[in-house]
Structure formats: C-alpha cells, structure tokens
Amino acid sequence: MTRRSLLVSGASIAGPALASRLARSGWDVTVVERFDHLREEGQNVDIRGVGRQVLRKMGLEEAVRAAHTGEVGTQFVDGHGRVVAEFRAGEGDSGGGTAEIEILRGQLSRLLYEQSAGEATYRFGDQIQALHDDGTGVDVDFQSGRTQRFDAVVIAEGLRSRTRAMLMPDARPHELGLYTAHLAIPRIAADNAWWRAMFCGRGRMLFLRPDNVGTMRAGLFFLSDVRGLDRLTPEDTVSVLRKTYADVGWEGPRVLAEMDNGSLYLEAVGQAKLPTWHQGRVALLGDAAYCASPISGMGTTLALTGAYILAGELMANEDPRTAFGQYEHRMRPLVTEAQRLLPGAPQVTMPRSQAHRTAFHAALRMASTPLARRLGKAAGRFGKPRSEAIALPEYA
C-alpha cells in the first residue's frame, strides 16, 4: 500500500504536533521551515483544557510540566511596585490567569520537534514558492529550486502567513490596534516567581515574568492607531519603545536599558477570522487559520488541538478534502469561543486616563478577594471554561 504524503509548512507548535501524529501513523511527512534552524526564542505560553488532553495523548504532559517556568501567579502593581491585587496560579486543566502548565514557547517547540524528528523529514532554510493543486495531488515549488508532489499540504504558519496569501489572496488579519514587544533581561535579586504587571496609563502596560533559564521575560503592550510599527528596523523599534515608555516608573527604566541586547521583537496583535480553512488539497492550521491573539490566552491550546483533530481526520478519511472539512467542522466551536474577547477589548482593558486606571485597580482588588474567588468557583460549576468548549474526539 502506497504511503500517503503530506507537506507541512511551519515548524513552531502546530506543525511539529501534526507531523508527530501523522508520521507515527505511517504517513510520509515533510516539514519545511523558512528559518535555517529551530526557533527557540519566545515568551511564556500556557496550555489549557483540551490542549492538556492532547499533551497527555502525545505522552508529553510530564515533559512539559518538567519545563515549567516556575510562575506562581499574577500580581498587578502600581508605579512604585506595590501590589494592588494578586491571583494565584490555577489548578487543574483550565483555571487561573497563570495556568497550571506554563512553558517557554521555544522549549515546547523543541519537545514537539524531538518527538517527531525521528519519523518526519525536516527541511530548514527553505519555503514554498508556489502551489499547483490538480485535484489528485499538489505539486510544490520550493525557493531552493526543488519541486515535489504531495497528496496534501498544510500551512501551519503565523497570523501574517505569506504562504496563505498564495491560497487565499483576500485573507487579511483582523487588527486589534495593539502592539506587543518582548525581550529577555537579566534576573536580579529583587525578582520573584510572580507574573508582575503594571498599567502605565495612556493605553500602555509593562510586565515581568519568570522563566526557567535564569532570566526574566519582559513584555510591553501598547495601543496605537499607527500601522506598520512591526515592520520597522530593530534600531527604529527600540527608538519608538523608548519614547513610548520614557515616563514609566517601576521597572520601566530597567527594561528600556536592556533593549539593545538582541532579544527584542515586536508584533502587531490581530486575529485570523476566515470563512474557510481549506481549499482543495491545501489546509490551514494554527495561527494561519484561526489566530485568537495573545490576549486570548488560547493560541497554544488551539494549535495543539487543531493538530490533533486534523491528524485524526486525515488518518480516518482517504480523501484529504473530506478530512479538511471534518477538521473545520469539529474545530469551529472551540475557535469561536477562543476568539470571543471581552466587549471593547483590548482598548477597555488598557487604561488611558488616571481615572480609568484607578477604577481598574479597584475592580482588580475586588476580584481578588476571597468572596469573589468563591463566587467565581461556584459560577464555574455551571458552565465549561472556553478551553473545554468541545469534547476531544477519539481516533484509532
């Protein structure tokens, strides 16, 4: 019996997770990644609900747990670093602002790669140049000059996927008017194991999070109507951030002083809201299909769950086009829940004025009281968390 072949474009989270399951089931899987190495940078990510169930099925839950960042919860602080409100890490599969499982994106990517690299073929430093779907297979032209035929192709790239544009030229990200910048900075004696966040006013936020490699992960979120800041040169990016956060107290000066250390990256936050995730024998997976944005806290859960369901449907259906339709049908309810942000978010959650910030702090203090926590737990008994919006299918 001829082995069916699949090309996966993207070696971050969703791509290697899909490759692992399909290659182990007998598919001939090739993963192409435009970078010439496995990218191990990135901030903290959490895995919740059905995503945790996928980790268990893959046999990776304990390895991921062992790579925990050590974060114990979230503290909101004022401009002097004084705690306004704190929330302990969640317990179980779905609870808490800080999840029970927190891991650096690069370390999770490495675990998924190592599990799949023995059976799947990885091709770094190359990318798709053109796709030719004739209904019975897909001929792929690569930038390296190679041409190869596959039974199906899956694009597991980011929100602003270049390859997706070949398939769906009219697809555009839904912009949220928010930028996020991240960098790693040296840890000092005053740092602790809390995710500490400060609202800086004028639609800005600054936070520090612990990791398990001896540094701290700094993040800067800010609202802006200006488009294209994520395409600036590194030098101009640093200049913009230093001007934007020049008056910020607490750890602001410390973070700004480290911006030339080479770990800084900035991205525009958005969502992928597409009418379909497949066309012919080519499908989209992960952020390229249904990015929910970092503020949803659901990106990694969606990537793992989507990879699990897509792999299961490809194994269960002879025709990839049928599998793609079933995958979309099963995943849509989870994606819909994940992309449902608070009304007015992110603007409403990023105070601009001092009065708005004061009111926000008061709301956080109230939410952190024992009574509010008990009421929250009681309410949770009557409804499922959004990370459990679907029942994970069982596949042979």
Side-chain angles (χ1 to χ4, degrees), residues 352-367:
R352 293 183 181 271
S353 66
Q354 181 58 45
H356 188 184
R357 183 161 47 160
T358 299
F360 215 77
H361 281 174
L364 288 170
R365 287 191 190 96
M366 184 176 296

Side-chain angles (χ1 to χ4, degrees), residues 333-384:
L334 181 63
V335 170
T336 299
E337 281 299 312
Q339 292 186 332
R340 187 176 291 125
L341 305 178
L342 288 173
Q347 285 73 16
V348 73
T349 59
M350 300 285 286
R352 293 183 181 271
S353 66
Q354 181 58 45
H356 188 184
R357 183 161 47 160
T358 299
F360 215 77
H361 281 174
L364 288 170
R365 287 191 190 96
M366 184 176 296
S368 67
T369 62
L371 175 61
R373 289 197 294 269
R374 286 196 296 271
L375 290 173
K377 287 182 179 179
R381 298 190 188 103
F382 298 98
K384 288 185 177 181

Side-chain angles (χ1 to χ4, degrees), residues 63-75:
V64 171
R65 191 187 296 276
H68 196 285
T69 61
E71 189 171 285
V72 298
T74 308
Q75 291 180 333

Side-chain angles (χ1 to χ4, degrees), residues 240-257:
V240 166
L241 291 173
R242 283 182 171 156
K243 289 178 181 177
T244 302
Y245 285 82
D247 64 330
V248 170
W250 184 49
E251 298 285 8
R254 173 187 170 195
V255 174
L256 296 181

Side-chain angles (χ1 to χ4, degrees), residues 39-242:
R39 291 177 294 156
E40 299 198 45
E41 69 276 3
Q43 292 288 309
N44 309 46
V45 298
D46 56 36
I47 306 161
R48 302 171 183 268
V50 288
R52 285 279 295 275
Q53 296 174 39
V54 172
L55 282 184
R56 293 186 192 116
K57 289 178 179 294
M58 297 182 73
L60 286 174
E61 185 178 27
E62 291 310 310
V64 171
R65 191 187 296 276
H68 196 285
T69 61
E71 189 171 285
V72 298
T74 308
Q75 291 180 333
F76 292 94
V77 303
D78 64 16
H80 301 285
R82 295 174 299 207
V83 177
V84 173
E86 72 177 35
F87 303 86
R88 300 291 307 188
E91 298 177 355
D93 284 2
S94 302
T98 291
E100 188 181 51
I101 285 187
E102 297 273 346
I103 184 174
L104 294 178
R105 188 213 64 83
Q107 292 183 0
L108 177 59
S109 179
R110 167 66 64 178
L111 288 172
L112 293 166
Y113 165 76
E114 289 176 347
Q115 188 184 68
S116 58
E119 288 96 358
T121 299
Y122 278 80
R123 192 182 300 160
F124 291 97
D126 203 356
Q127 57 185 315
I128 296 172
Q129 194 71 26
L131 296 164
H132 310 282
D133 184 347
D134 62 12
T136 60
V138 186
D139 293 307
V140 181
D141 298 333
F142 293 94
Q143 192 176 65
S144 60
R146 181 196 303 250
T147 297
Q148 193 170 347
R149 185 172 178 81
F150 299 90
D151 290 311
V153 174
V154 172
I155 301 168
E157 300 175 357
L159 170 64
R160 302 174 196 281
S161 166
R162 182 191 64 85
T163 315
R164 182 186 61 202
M166 301 176 191
L167 186 71
M168 301 174 182
D170 294 330
R172 296 287 186 275
H174 172 65
E175 304 292 352
L176 295 178
L178 178 71
Y179 287 95
T180 66
H182 300 276
L183 68 156
I185 66 174
R187 184 173 295 187
I188 61 175
D191 290 325
N192 58 35
W194 288 87
W195 175 4
R196 292 175 293 158
M198 178 182 71
F199 295 106
C200 312
R202 303 211 314 269
R204 300 169 299 169
M205 183 180 183
L206 170 71
F207 65 77
L208 292 179
R209 304 185 72 171
D211 63 28
N212 62 340
V213 295
T215 60
M216 297 295 289
R217 303 294 165 135
L220 304 97
F221 285 23
F222 62 99
L223 300 172
S224 177
D225 295 328
V226 178
R227 297 290 175 263
L229 297 182
D230 52 323
R231 297 190 294 274
L232 295 175
T233 64
E235 294 77 16
D236 288 340
T237 299
V238 169
S239 178
V240 166
L241 291 173
R242 283 182 171 156

Side-chain angles (χ1 to χ4, degrees), residues 288-304:
Y290 37 74
C291 176
S293 83
I295 61 175
S296 74
M298 287 284 288
T300 306
T301 294
L302 290 179
L304 291 172

